[in-house]
Amino acid sequence: MPARINKRQQREQEELLALGNQTAAAVDTDSEEEPAPIVPSGFAALSTAEDDHDGPNSDDETSKPTKAKKAKKKKKPAASDAPANPQQAKPAEVPKLQQPKSLKKGKGKEKKKDGLDDLDTALAELSQKYPELQSVATSSSSTTRNASLVSLLSVSVSNLDAEAEMRKFFGARAVIAAKSSETSSSGGPKKRRGVAPTQAQRSQLTRPHPSWSMIKQREGLSSRPLTDEEVQQKIADRNSPAAGDKWWTVEYSKRYKGATKTFMQAVSSADPEALRGVLQKLPWHGDTLLQLAEVYCHQEDYSQAVEYVDRALFSYERAFLGSYSFTNGLNRLDFNRVENRPFFLALHRQVTDLQRRGCIRTAFEFGRLLYSLEPWTDPHGVLFHLDFVSIKSGMGQWFLDVYSEFACAKTAFEDHLNPSALPGWAYARALALFAREKAGGGQSIGSSTDALKQAMLAFPEVVPLLADKCDISLSPELREHRAFRIQTDGIGLSPAQSILHLLSHLYAQRSAPLWKSASHMKWFENTANEIRSSLNAQRSNPTRERFLQMYASTTLRYSVYRHILVLEQSFRNLTPFIPRSVLLAKQLACDPLPPLTASSEYNDAFFAGAEEIFSVRPRRRDARALERLIPDAGIRAQIEALFNANPGLARQLPGGVVQFVQMMAEMPEEALNDMMLDFAMAGEGGVGVPGGGGMPGGLPVEGDDDEPDLEPMPPRGAAEVAPALADEDQSQEEDEDEDEDEYIAPMPIRVVRNLLNRFWGGGAATADGDESDSDAEERDHDGVD
C-alpha cells in the first residue's frame, strides 16, 4: 500500500497535472536514492524552499522520525510526472529556489551594478553643473607625493580636549571642583536667548558651554574650494609642493559682512560696549569675539578670554561642515584672504593659552592643526611653538620625522619655510635624539652629541643665551668669541641676521626649562667646550646659509613679526628686532600684521552689498518671531500697541518688540520697575497708554541729552520710508531662510500678563486669568469699593 501523502503534496501534484505535461522524463538508474525534486508553484514554493535549505543537517533530521518520510524517498511516480519540455513548464518553474545561494549572489551583483550606473549618472550630472567640485576630486592624486607629510600633519581629535588632559594629571574630581568654583565665582552660567535646554551642541575643537546661544549650521560663514585660476594666482611655481594641495577659503554672507562693517566702526571708536552691541545682533561673529578676548586678556581675566576664543573656533568649525575635514592633514586654508585669518589667530591664541594652563599635549595638537593649514609659509610661526611643545609632550619621534622630511628636500622654493633650517629646531632635534637614546637604554649618545655640535656650529648665537638662562658655566675664552656676541636689537644687522638673533632669543626664553636638568646642563657644557676649535676653523655653514637665504623673503619675515606681535605681552623685549615701519603699520588686534600678498581686505569693495545689521528689522520677520514667543493673538496685539506707543523703547532696543519682550521677561522685578521709572522720566511720551503724552502738565524733562546715542541704530519709524521698504522686499526671502531654523521658546502666558499688568495697571487681565484674577473677582462680589 503506497504511503499516504499530505494535502500539500496532493495540491502540488494537481497543479502539475493541470499543466498538461504528459511526457515522462528519463530517470537515471544511479539516482534511485535521490529522486527528482518536485517543483511547486505559488506560495508552496516558499515553504518548499525552507524545507530544502534548512542547512547541512536537514537531511539527517528528515530521515529519522517516521516511515511516511522514508516511503517518500521510494516514490517514483512524482518523478514521472515531471515535465520534460522546459518551455511548457516555464510558468510553474521556480529555478531560483533550486540554487538560492548562487542566484542570490548574482542578483545582488546585478542590483549593485544597476546602483553604480545610477550613481555614475548622478555624478556626471553634478560634474557638469558644478565643474569646480570635479577639479577638487581629481586633485587628490597630486597629493600622493606629499603622503608622508600628510600623515604627519593629521590631527588626533581625541587629543584636542584640554579638559581630558587635565583629568589625567589632577583627576576628575579636582577638575569638576575647579569648574564649579569658577562658575559660582562668576555668578553661575547665564542663560542666553535662543538656547534650547535639551539640545546639545557638538564640537571637535571645543566643549560648547550650555550657556552659549544655539548656533545655526553656518551662522553667516561658509567654505568653498579655490578654483584653478585662484590657485595659479596664489602659487606661481607649479612645481612647488603647495601647488598639489587642496586650497579652501571661507566666505561671508551679506549679513556677516554687515556685522563686520559695524565691528570695524566699533573698533575705530575704541568702545568695548559697541563690540557687545555687535554680539547682540550676531553672537558668533569671529572678529568681535577675538577682539573682546584680547580686551579680557589685557584685564587678566583669562577665563573670559578663553571662552571667547573657544566661541570663535566653534563658529569657524561650523563653517567647515560638509566641505572638508580640517584634521586629516590634506587641506589648506588661504591666509591671504581676510575671511580666513580669524581662524588662524584663534588657533594661535589657543596654543598660547593651553601652554599657560599646562596642557602641553593639547597645545601640541592644536599647534599641529595650525601648521597643517599652511605649512609652506607658516603665517603665525607655529613652528616656534612646536620645537618646544613637541619635546615637552613626548612627541619627539614626530618631531624627528618632520625634520627628516624637510631635511631630505633638495629643492628650495621661494617663500617656502624649511623647519630643518631653523635654530630652535636644530637644538630641539638634539634633545629629541638624546631622549630617544636614553629611553632605549643605550649608553652611547654619539648621534645626539653630533646633532648638538651641528646646531652650535650653525647657530652659535643660541649658546650664550641658553647658558645664561640655565646657569651653565662656559669658559672665558668661549665667552669672548665673536660668534657668541649677544645682540639686543636689530641695529646694524641685515633683515635676515636680525631674524636670526630674534629667533635665538625666542628659543632661549621659551625652551630653557627643557635644558635645566643636570644631565642636559652637563652635556651642553661639555659639547660647547668641544666645538671651540671647529668654530675657529669654520668659514661657512650650509645650514646657516640656507637660513639666511630663506629669510631674505619678506613673507617669511612677516611670519616671525606676526608671531611676536600676537605674544606681545610675553616677549615684549623682542620688539626691538622688528622694523619700526612694521610696528607703526595700521593693524587690528583681530588681524595682526596683514600679509603684503593679501588678496582681500576690509575696505569699501569688500563691504559692497553688505546688509546693515542695525537697520530696521523687517516687519514680517518681527511678526513671525513675536508669534513664536506669544502665540495668543490678543495679548500679542496689546504688546505691539504698548511698544509702538513709546518711541523711546524703539531707540533703546534695536531688536524691536521681540527684544523688548524677551528682555522684560528675564529682568527681575526691581530692575524692571527702575527701568520703567527711567523711561517715565526720559520724556517723549513716557511709558503709558497709547496716545499718552509726556509728563503731567507737559513739563519738559531734564536729562534728555543724557540718553545714549546708539547710531547707527535708527528709530523704528524709519521702517515707513520707501527705500527701506524696497530693500526689505529684496532681502525678505534671505531673512526668512536665515531665521527658519532659529529656536525661540514660547513665553509662559502668566509672564506676559504680569508684564502687561506692570505697564497698564491690570488692563491686560482677561476673563480666563490666573489665580490672582479670580481672587480679585471674589473680593469685588463681596462688595469692596
Side-chain angles (χ1 to χ4, degrees), residues 155 170 284 471:
V155 176
F170 307 107
W284 298 98
D471 295 331

Side-chain angles (χ1 to χ4, degrees), residues 120-186:
D120 293 339
T121 303
L123 290 176
E125 294 176 356
L126 288 175
S127 63
Q128 294 177 0
K129 190 174 181 180
Y130 303 103
E132 66 275 5
L133 295 181
Q134 186 180 12
S135 63
V136 173
T138 56
S139 64
S140 60
S141 60
S142 62
T143 60
T144 55
R145 58 179 176 178
N146 297 330
S148 57
L149 180 61
V150 167
S151 62
L152 293 172
L153 298 182
S154 300
V155 176
S156 173
V157 178
S158 60
N159 289 313
L160 291 174
D161 191 353
E163 187 173 323
E165 184 178 2
M166 291 199 308
R167 285 198 191 99
K168 294 180 181 179
F169 288 107
F170 307 107
R173 293 184 178 180
V175 174
I176 294 174
K179 290 180 64 177
S180 60
S181 62
E182 180 181 345
T183 303
S184 60
S185 63
S186 60

Side-chain angles (χ1 to χ4, degrees), residues 205-471:
L205 299 180
T206 64
R207 282 179 174 261
H209 198 272
S211 64
W212 291 3
S213 59
M214 185 59 62
I215 188 173
K216 299 179 186 178
Q217 184 174 5
R218 299 299 181 190
E219 202 66 35
L221 296 174
S222 60
S223 57
R224 67 168 179 86
L226 295 184
T227 62
D228 291 339
E229 292 77 9
E230 291 172 334
V231 174
Q232 290 177 3
Q233 292 178 1
K234 176 179 176 59
I235 305 170
D237 189 355
R238 302 304 297 172
N239 295 323
S240 168
D245 292 337
K246 298 178 182 178
W247 290 91
W248 298 77
T249 184
V250 174
E251 287 187 333
Y252 290 175
S253 65
K254 293 182 178 180
R255 179 173 175 80
Y256 199 95
K257 284 186 178 180
T260 306
K261 183 178 180 180
T262 308
F263 160 77
M264 295 295 292
Q265 297 172 355
V267 170
S268 301
S269 65
D271 184 11
E273 295 301 325
L275 296 176
R276 293 186 176 89
V278 177
L279 288 186
Q280 289 180 358
K281 301 298 293 183
L282 195 62
W284 298 98
H285 187 253
D287 289 313
T288 306
L289 293 170
L290 293 174
Q291 191 78 20
L292 286 174
E294 186 69 10
V295 172
Y296 282 113
C297 190
H298 281 284
Q299 297 174 358
E300 297 184 356
D301 189 351
Y302 295 109
S303 61
Q304 280 290 349
V306 170
E307 180 180 352
Y308 279 109
V309 172
D310 285 342
R311 289 173 61 184
L313 288 172
F314 187 42
S315 65
Y316 267 80
E317 181 184 1
R318 303 294 292 183
F320 301 143
L321 289 178
S323 56
Y324 71 94
S325 172
F326 52 83
T327 60
N328 58 10
L330 282 171
N331 302 286
R332 311 287 178 253
L333 205 60
D334 188 4
F335 187 77
N336 290 336
R337 296 177 180 268
V338 69
E339 303 96 320
N340 304 327
R341 293 201 285 271
F343 188 57
F344 283 86
L345 179 60
L347 287 175
H348 192 180
R349 289 185 175 169
Q350 188 79 332
V351 172
T352 305
D353 185 77
L354 288 170
Q355 294 180 63
R356 180 188 61 83
R357 288 187 280 169
C359 302
I360 305 300
R361 182 64 177 85
T362 310
F364 166 79
E365 212 63 52
F366 272 96
R368 178 160 60 171
L369 171 59
L370 177 56
Y371 182 52
S372 69
L373 296 180
E374 229 294 20
W376 311 116
T377 61
D378 189 20
H380 271 270
V382 70
L383 288 174
F384 313 134
H385 287 292
L386 289 174
D387 59 9
F388 168 69
V389 295
S390 60
I391 306 300
K392 181 74 172 178
S393 62
M395 298 298 293
Q397 186 58 48
W398 176 91
F399 179 91
L400 294 174
D401 292 341
V402 175
Y403 187 96
S404 301
E405 182 72 23
F406 284 91
C408 296
K410 298 180 180 180
T411 306
F413 296 94
E414 185 180 0
D415 294 341
H416 276 41
L417 188 60
N418 190 335
S420 64
L422 297 176
W425 276 62
Y427 283 85
R429 174 173 171 261
L431 281 176
L433 291 172
F434 186 88
R436 188 174 68 177
E437 292 168 357
K438 186 176 181 180
Q443 299 297 326
S444 175
I445 57 173
S447 60
S448 59
T449 303
D450 293 340
L452 184 57
K453 288 181 179 180
Q454 294 173 11
M456 291 181 173
L457 291 174
F459 307 106
E461 292 83 0
V462 180
V463 174
L465 299 173
L466 203 55
D468 292 343
K469 292 289 183 180
C470 301
D471 295 331

Side-chain angles (χ1 to χ4, degrees), residues 335 341 558 562 586-588 591-598:
F335 187 77
R341 293 201 285 271
Y558 265 52
R562 192 177 298 110
K586 183 180 179 181
Q587 52 185 303
L588 301 174
D591 187 17
L593 198 60
L596 299 178
T597 57

